[in-house]
Amino acid sequence: MITRGSFIVTFAALVTACQAAENQVDYLREIQPILRERCFACHGGWKQKAGLRLDTVEGIIRGGDSGPAITRGNASTSILLDRVSAADAAERMPPEHEGNPLSVAEIARLRAWIEQGATAPANEQPE
């Protein structure tokens, strides 16, 4: 028998789970397009400046000459976030001659994706 109290607890847990799923960043829909549009020209299949390839999550984690670009679950140690949000235009990516800086919203999505574990499809293929 379901009591009123157990129903409320179960309902609250369901709402919390739905909110978490609703806030989950989707790599294919939200992150990969940012990277494709803003980063692949220099860090994709054709070119890998600084030894960095950003067209797969495996490549992002492996990183380049400066080490791993991200650490799953820890945005505060992310070289990728440091570079796209750098105040100094000389350090910020993409470079000024390649286009505008990432928006605050794009950086926030990247940060959330990293904090959530930087998930990607198991069968992800490079561009």
Side-chain angles (χ1 to χ4, degrees), residues 30-71:
E30 299 176 78
I31 301 303
Q32 192 179 53
I34 295 169
L35 298 174
R36 181 180 294 116
E37 182 181 325
R38 309 305 295 285
C39 307
F40 285 9
C42 296
H43 303 288
W46 292 100
K47 215 188 293 186
Q48 296 88 45
K49 286 187 177 183
L52 178 60
R53 192 164 180 172
L54 299 175
D55 62 340
T56 64
V57 174
E58 179 182 314
I60 296 169
I61 292 168
R62 184 177 41 250
D65 298 347
S66 298
I70 66 168
T71 300

